[in-house]
């Protein structure tokens, strides 16, 4: 066995530092600490296992605040497994500090992540907190609601229905994000030329309603990936990249990203693809496999998600991955999804329709897509 993000070995207890890992597992994901195994994975065993377990229990009771849920088991090879379960009363602190796992090591969380743990422990989200800016107007939101839901005017009752007020009758952060003007970074869109050193166009969208961010991002998309084609006596709109896939990717970036960090959603436009990078990894409790399969939806910003759902920008019960994949059903090229600890990147390639192509033609196009030149050796390597 090898140590991993959710598994740590300890030969003995030389100090209380193993409690940092206990904090990390309780805060960010169930994990195990196996005592009696050295760093190389060799089993050494524990003498006086019952006394050893009592010592672990005492150390946790005396030094953890609060004490997380855990199990202690004595194994047949004389090792002891401490299983620490991710629990609800976050943050779980050791000496007043919270910790998280970084690969196979344990590190202290910063103030921002500690604040997130506090919110999670109180079953709140950032968007529910009182906004620092209270002089908000909602002309953009009102227009969208009139167009989509045929409301007569946006009033206080509708704002309450959309959960844009706190219990103390103040605007929350979700309201600020939807307001006409705010203090948030939005979307940074760059159209590149032949490479990243050649910038053809750029717009930085910030300090305005996320509804406008979505609308203006789509307009930038249309400028470079949509054109009209004359077919007989009619005109036809042709999308080099599916518009609904781009809309879905941008909308999902807005409802799943961390809004408490001063960062942009970055959209990099190339001739053969669009890359959309969103700040913040997967929501707590969602695995990469569950995200990619699109079976469950866990909104980091449920209030914003509810507004987008009412306006038909997203589906409430789905991550949007299935809809993005479906838009490429007849294309040789397929979207890619890259999940990192602090970001998610969606890559939308230009469409290559498979209609009337032989399997050999499809393979050749697939090889050269995104590559203007390939050597014989590169072709042979890609063909393996």
């Amino acid at each position: 066995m090898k140590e991993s993000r959710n598994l740590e070995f300890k030969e003995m207890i030389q100090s209380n530092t193993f409690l940092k890992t206990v904090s990390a597992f309780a805060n960010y994901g169930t994990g195990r600490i196996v005592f009696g195994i050295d760093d190389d994975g060799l089993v050494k065993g524990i003498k006086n296992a019952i006394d050893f377990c009592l010592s672990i229990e005492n150390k946790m009771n005396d030094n953890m605040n609060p004490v997380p849920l855990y199990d202690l088991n004595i194994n047949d090879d004389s090792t002891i497994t401490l299983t620490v379960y991710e629990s609800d009363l976050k943050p779980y602190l050791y000496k007043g500090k919270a910790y998280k796992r970084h690969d196979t090591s344990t590190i202290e969380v910063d103030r921002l992540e500690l604040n997130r743990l506090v919110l999670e422990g109180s079953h709140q989200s950032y968007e529910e907190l009182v906004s620092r800016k209270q002089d908000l107007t909602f002309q953009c939101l009102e227009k969208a609601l009139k167009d989509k839901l045929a409301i007569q005017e946006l009033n206080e009752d509708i704002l309450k229905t959309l959960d844009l007020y706190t219990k103390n009758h103040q605007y929350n952060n979700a309201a600020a994000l939807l307001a006409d003007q705010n203090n948030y970074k939005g979307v940074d869109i760059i159209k590149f030329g032949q490479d990243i050193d050649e910038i053809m166009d750029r717009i930085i969208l910030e300090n305005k309603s996320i509804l406008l961010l979505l609308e203006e991002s789509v307009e930038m998309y249309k400028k470079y990936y949509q054109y009209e084609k004359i077919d007989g006596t009619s005109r036809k709109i042709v999308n080099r990249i599916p518009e609904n896939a781009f809309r879905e990717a941008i909308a999902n970036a807005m409802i799943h990203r961390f809004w408490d960090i001063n960062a942009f959603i970055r959209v990099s436009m190339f001739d053969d693809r669009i890359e959309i990078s969103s700040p913040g990894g997967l929501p707590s409790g969602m695995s990469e496999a569950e995200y990619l399969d699109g079976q469950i939806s866990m909104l980091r910003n449920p209030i914003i998600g509810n507004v987008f759902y009412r306006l038909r920008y997203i589906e409430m019960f789905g991550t949007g991955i299935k809809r993005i994949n479906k838009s490429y059903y007849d294309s040789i090229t397929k979207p890619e999804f890259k999940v990192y600890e602090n970001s998610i990147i969606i890559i939308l390639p230009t469409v290559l329709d498979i209609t009337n192509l032989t399997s050999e033609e499809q393979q050749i196009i697939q090889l050269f897509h995104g590559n203007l030149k390939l050597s014989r050796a590169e072709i042979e390597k890609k063909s393996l």
Side-chain angles (χ1 to χ4, degrees), residues 88-90 116-125 128:
D88 292 334
L89 301 177
K90 301 175 182 179
R116 291 173 183 163
L117 287 173
V118 172
L119 287 175
E120 192 174 345
S122 60
H123 303 288
Q124 280 189 300
S125 60
E128 295 178 88

Side-chain angles (χ1 to χ4, degrees), residues 181-299:
Q181 293 183 331
N182 55 47
N183 298 319
Y184 291 98
K185 302 289 186 184
V187 186
D188 184 3
I189 307 177
I190 302 178
K191 176 63 175 71
F192 292 100
Q194 293 298 316
D195 53 50
I196 59 174
D197 294 325
E198 185 179 2
I199 297 177
M200 307 297 293
D201 196 358
R202 183 174 190 175
I203 59 170
I204 297 176
L205 308 174
E206 60 183 332
N207 306 136
K208 61 177 68 177
S209 172
I210 56 176
L211 301 178
L212 279 179
L213 300 183
L214 177 61
E215 181 181 317
E216 293 178 17
S217 296
V218 172
E219 289 303 312
M220 185 72 162
Y221 150 85
K222 290 180 178 180
K223 182 177 179 180
Y224 291 103
Y225 298 96
Q226 196 175 86
Y227 62 92
E228 287 188 350
K229 180 180 179 181
I230 299 177
D231 187 5
T233 58
S234 61
R235 291 178 178 270
K236 179 182 178 182
I237 299 295
V238 178
N239 297 311
R240 295 180 57 229
I241 290 175
E243 180 179 341
N244 60 336
F246 180 78
R247 284 181 178 273
E248 193 75 34
I250 289 292
N252 273 271
M254 291 180 182
I255 64 174
H256 287 296
R257 66 156 288 176
F258 281 125
W259 284 104
D260 57 359
I261 56 176
N262 194 28
F264 287 96
I265 297 169
R266 299 197 177 275
V267 180
S268 301
M269 294 181 167
F270 301 89
D271 287 341
D272 65 335
R273 69 192 187 280
I274 298 176
E275 297 182 1
I276 300 166
S277 177
S278 176
L282 295 176
S284 178
M286 177 183 283
S287 68
E288 182 174 345
E290 289 169 330
Y291 167 76
L292 295 175
D293 194 41
Q295 293 298 324
I296 62 174
S297 178
M298 300 176 67
L299 300 182

Side-chain angles (χ1 to χ4, degrees), residues 38-249:
D38 66 18
D39 292 338
D40 297 322
L42 298 177
V43 175
K44 301 293 186 178
I46 297 292
K47 295 180 181 180
N48 302 319
I50 294 178
D51 291 340
F52 192 93
C53 288
L54 288 174
S55 176
I56 291 175
E57 290 180 355
N58 289 333
K59 288 178 181 295
M60 292 185 65
N61 290 332
D62 293 341
N63 296 281
M64 294 297 302
N65 183 29
V67 179
L69 297 174
Y70 67 92
D71 285 328
L72 269 171
N73 292 289
I74 301 173
N75 306 313
D76 293 338
D77 58 0
S78 297
T79 61
I80 294 174
T81 300
L82 170 63
T83 303
V84 181
Y85 299 98
E86 183 176 2
S87 305
D88 292 334
L89 301 177
K90 301 175 182 179
Y92 290 87
L93 307 176
Y94 166 59
K95 290 188 175 180
K97 297 178 180 179
Y99 293 85
K100 68 176 181 177
R101 294 287 279 177
H102 181 71
D103 293 329
T104 60
S105 61
T106 302
I107 60 175
E108 183 183 347
V109 303
D110 58 24
R111 181 185 294 272
L112 183 60
E113 290 199 63
L114 179 60
N115 289 339
R116 291 173 183 163
L117 287 173
V118 172
L119 287 175
E120 192 174 345
S122 60
H123 303 288
Q124 280 189 300
S125 60
Y126 171 78
E127 61 174 2
E128 295 178 88
L129 299 180
V130 176
S131 170
R132 293 182 179 179
K133 186 177 176 65
Q134 289 294 311
D135 54 334
L136 305 177
T137 59
F138 299 95
Q139 293 181 7
C140 181
L141 176 60
E142 183 176 49
K143 181 179 183 302
L145 291 170
K146 285 181 177 179
D147 293 342
K148 298 288 185 177
L149 303 180
I151 69 164
Q152 296 300 313
E153 64 175 355
L154 181 62
N155 54 40
E156 186 173 308
D157 288 337
I158 293 176
L159 290 173
K160 288 180 180 178
T161 300
L162 296 177
D163 292 324
L164 301 182
Y165 279 119
T166 67
K167 293 180 179 179
N168 296 324
H169 202 72
Q170 294 174 295
Y171 289 123
N172 56 27
N173 287 327
L177 286 163
L178 290 162
D180 299 322
Q181 293 183 331
N182 55 47
N183 298 319
Y184 291 98
K185 302 289 186 184
V187 186
D188 184 3
I189 307 177
I190 302 178
K191 176 63 175 71
F192 292 100
Q194 293 298 316
D195 53 50
I196 59 174
D197 294 325
E198 185 179 2
I199 297 177
M200 307 297 293
D201 196 358
R202 183 174 190 175
I203 59 170
I204 297 176
L205 308 174
E206 60 183 332
N207 306 136
K208 61 177 68 177
S209 172
I210 56 176
L211 301 178
L212 279 179
L213 300 183
L214 177 61
E215 181 181 317
E216 293 178 17
S217 296
V218 172
E219 289 303 312
M220 185 72 162
Y221 150 85
K222 290 180 178 180
K223 182 177 179 180
Y224 291 103
Y225 298 96
Q226 196 175 86
Y227 62 92
E228 287 188 350
K229 180 180 179 181
I230 299 177
D231 187 5
T233 58
S234 61
R235 291 178 178 270
K236 179 182 178 182
I237 299 295
V238 178
N239 297 311
R240 295 180 57 229
I241 290 175
E243 180 179 341
N244 60 336
F246 180 78
R247 284 181 178 273
E248 193 75 34

Side-chain angles (χ1 to χ4, degrees), residues 334-338 345-349:
K334 303 295 182 183
E336 295 181 55
F337 307 92
K338 298 182 178 181
I345 299 176
I346 297 178
I347 302 174
L348 305 176

